[in-house]
Amino acid sequence: MIIQNYVKPANLEEAYALLVKSKGNRLLGGGTFLKRTHLRVANAIDLSDCGLDYLKKEKDGLHIGAYTSLRKLETSEEVLTQCGNVLKDPLSHLIGVQLRNQITIGGHVAPRFGFSDIIPALMILDAKLEFYHRGEISLISYMEEEKPEKDILTEIFIPEEGRKGKMQSMRISYNDYSVFGLGVSRCKNSWIIAAGNFPGRAKCASAVMKETEGRKVTKKDAGMLSGKIAESFVYGSNYRGSAEYRKELCRVFARRAIEELADEN
Amino acid sequence: MKINVTLNGKKQEWDVTPNEYLAETLRKNGCFSVKISCNDGACGTCTVLLNGKPTVSCEVLTVRADGCEIMTVEGMGEEADKIADCLVRVGGEGCGYCAPGFVVLLYAMKREMKNPTYEKVREYLNGNLCRCTGYVPRIDAALEYMKET
């Protein structure tokens, strides 16, 4: 990325006005992806002074400011208590502590990076995104959008609804991006199944989610449902793994997750 | 652009461009302990403390360090010697290229964690790659350093 001008607005109003003023104006997150893009940016907008670095546990759930670092989330007791290992596992595998001190959760989620398994983890936690201009939208809907409008992601909200989940991923080495990741969560009879790194941006297995909605799922269904989940995505091959390998990982992860989360009989 | 930083306890004013990265700026300002290796944030060789937090300086735009406190090995004084002693005692040193980043990271770990387990130490230090030592003696050195008062 080539930056012509660096701007640090004092508030979100100023930042948004500048963002929509020109196509060439862009937001900065943690800034760890800048070298991987070849964009020419007229104004790089730094939101560090906009008060978006916070993590609050309230009655309704967790409110996470978009400029909160991944390391802060990884080491937070509140996140661990509410989300268990669903969020902690993908967070703690991302490169090293140093980089996780820099990467912001908003900067990771808003661009919908296809290599992320933090995004499917947030999807199965039924996370909501709060944008400065357009307001609240569910992460699942945001991921389905063709081209989201230019806006500032201000907060990620994880509702406290007693959702239990399991996030699994396969990595070539401990602190690498995953080859493939799949998350499954359950709140009563509502299931969310999301996967990432096909490679490509994270998606839900919508047809299987609809099929299981309101229905009792038992451990016996694990084989049948995991097959359907594996069939519901389109996989690709790259140097990390083949499409066939990813599909097989998906089937195995789905079966394990359903066996863990479903009712006995 | 003019920015103000506190580098190793001393206030400084730097004139930087928006595309300059902190690792380059630190070297320009005499902090040669900061090594640039992968220049991609993955190896940890250029680790410095930015407001007390270990950070890979090759991934930080220098303009964003305005108003920050930066610490490199040059500013660690006796603590750097203590860590170096631990590394030497257990044979945790090879070519030395990645050592400054490792020393800074270890210094940060001691201040962030109380009595970490072997596993926690391994996890914390895995953002600093070393091609000489095979990591085992480095973890031993880290555990030695954690015991020091």
Side-chain angles (χ1 to χ4, degrees), chain A residues 3 29 35-36 71 102, chain B residues 19 39-40 56 58 64 112:
Chain A
I3 299 168
K35 285 181 185 165
R36 293 163 188 81
R71 179 72 181 156
Q102 286 164 249
Chain B
N19 290 295
N39 204 17
D40 201 23
V56 274
C58 72
R64 299 185 92 175
E112 197 178 317

Side-chain angles (χ1 to χ4, degrees), chain A residues 208 211-212 215 217-218 221-230 254 258:
Chain A
V208 182
E211 190 185 323
T212 52
R215 186 168 81 80
V217 175
T218 66
D221 299 322
M224 176 268 293
L225 284 176
S226 61
K228 284 187 178 176
I229 292 168
I258 294 166

Side-chain angles (χ1 to χ4, degrees), chain A residues 92-161:
Chain A
S92 59
H93 283 284
L94 202 70
I95 322 290
V97 166
Q98 304 100 305
L99 213 64
R100 298 201 294 274
N101 270 327
Q102 286 164 249
I103 301 171
T104 60
I105 187 72
H108 189 84
V109 171
R112 309 190 292 178
F113 289 132
F115 56 78
S116 170
D117 48 5
I118 294 170
I119 295 176
L122 285 168
M123 286 166 84
I124 66 165
L125 291 167
D126 203 12
K128 313 278 187 269
L129 308 181
E130 183 71 34
F131 285 92
Y132 176 76
H133 180 67
R134 67 196 291 205
E136 192 184 275
I137 177 174
S138 81
L139 176 59
I140 293 174
S141 311
Y142 179 68
M143 294 306 289
E144 284 168 358
E145 284 181 7
E146 207 48 56
K147 197 177 175 206
E149 62 183 87
K150 245 183 173 184
D151 205 339
I152 302 174
L153 174 61
T154 57
E155 185 179 283
I156 294 165
F157 168 61
I158 304 173
E160 172 76 281
E161 51 184 20

Side-chain angles (χ1 to χ4, degrees), chain A:
Chain A
M1 185 181 284
I2 298 166
I3 299 168
Q4 286 165 337
N5 190 31
Y6 166 83
V7 194
K8 202 172 181 184
N11 54 54
L12 287 170
E13 198 180 352
E14 249 179 63
Y16 183 74
L18 187 60
L19 177 68
V20 293
K21 200 173 170 184
S22 157
K23 259 189 178 178
N25 295 349
R26 298 243 167 188
L27 295 172
L28 289 176
T32 58
F33 217 71
L34 302 181
K35 285 181 185 165
R36 293 163 188 81
T37 61
H38 299 286
L39 290 169
R40 190 170 278 275
V41 174
N43 286 298
I45 306 164
D46 185 344
L47 302 176
S48 304
D49 286 348
C50 295
L52 299 179
D53 181 3
Y54 60 84
L55 174 60
K56 289 184 282 190
K57 169 79 185 155
E58 287 175 9
K59 263 188 186 172
D60 57 347
L62 276 170
H63 296 259
I64 306 164
Y67 253 49
T68 307
S69 73
L70 297 190
R71 179 72 181 156
K72 197 186 241 184
L73 295 181
E74 177 196 348
T75 53
S76 152
E77 281 301 320
E78 286 98 341
V79 172
L80 189 63
T81 309
Q82 185 177 320
C83 313
N85 286 329
V86 170
L87 203 49
K88 193 179 187 310
D89 275 355
L91 283 170
S92 59
H93 283 284
L94 202 70
I95 322 290
V97 166
Q98 304 100 305
L99 213 64
R100 298 201 294 274
N101 270 327
Q102 286 164 249
I103 301 171
T104 60
I105 187 72
H108 189 84
V109 171
R112 309 190 292 178
F113 289 132
F115 56 78
S116 170
D117 48 5
I118 294 170
I119 295 176
L122 285 168
M123 286 166 84
I124 66 165
L125 291 167
D126 203 12
K128 313 278 187 269
L129 308 181
E130 183 71 34
F131 285 92
Y132 176 76
H133 180 67
R134 67 196 291 205
E136 192 184 275
I137 177 174
S138 81
L139 176 59
I140 293 174
S141 311
Y142 179 68
M143 294 306 289
E144 284 168 358
E145 284 181 7
E146 207 48 56
K147 197 177 175 206
E149 62 183 87
K150 245 183 173 184
D151 205 339
I152 302 174
L153 174 61
T154 57
E155 185 179 283
I156 294 165
F157 168 61
I158 304 173
E160 172 76 281
E161 51 184 20
R163 190 166 277 281
K164 287 201 164 49
K166 188 175 173 72
M167 183 72 211
Q168 298 163 91
S169 52
M170 177 67 196
R171 286 162 212 284
I172 294 170
S173 65
Y174 183 86
N175 50 356
D176 196 2
Y177 297 123
S178 68
V179 175
F180 177 79
L182 178 97
V184 179
S185 75
R186 177 194 176 185
C187 178
K188 294 172 188 153
N189 284 338
S190 155
W191 292 71
I192 302 178
I193 303 145
N197 219 339
F198 301 104
R201 71 171 189 252
K203 287 188 184 95
C204 278
S206 311
V208 182
M209 281 162 60
K210 220 176 250 178
E211 190 185 323
T212 52
E213 187 66 44
R215 186 168 81 80
K216 191 177 176 182
V217 175
T218 66
K219 292 188 193 307
K220 281 182 191 164
D221 299 322
M224 176 268 293
L225 284 176
S226 61
K228 284 187 178 176
I229 292 168
E231 290 298 332
S232 51
F233 300 116
V234 178
Y235 307 87
S237 300
N238 62 7
Y239 68 98
R240 287 174 192 271
S242 66
E244 293 77 14
Y245 180 52
R246 287 188 163 97
K247 190 173 180 182
E248 192 54 21
L249 284 174
C250 181
R251 198 186 57 75
V252 172
F253 288 164
R255 182 177 48 77
R256 285 182 190 163
I258 294 166
E259 279 176 355
E260 190 176 310
L261 299 169
D263 295 323
E264 281 298 331
N265 297 300

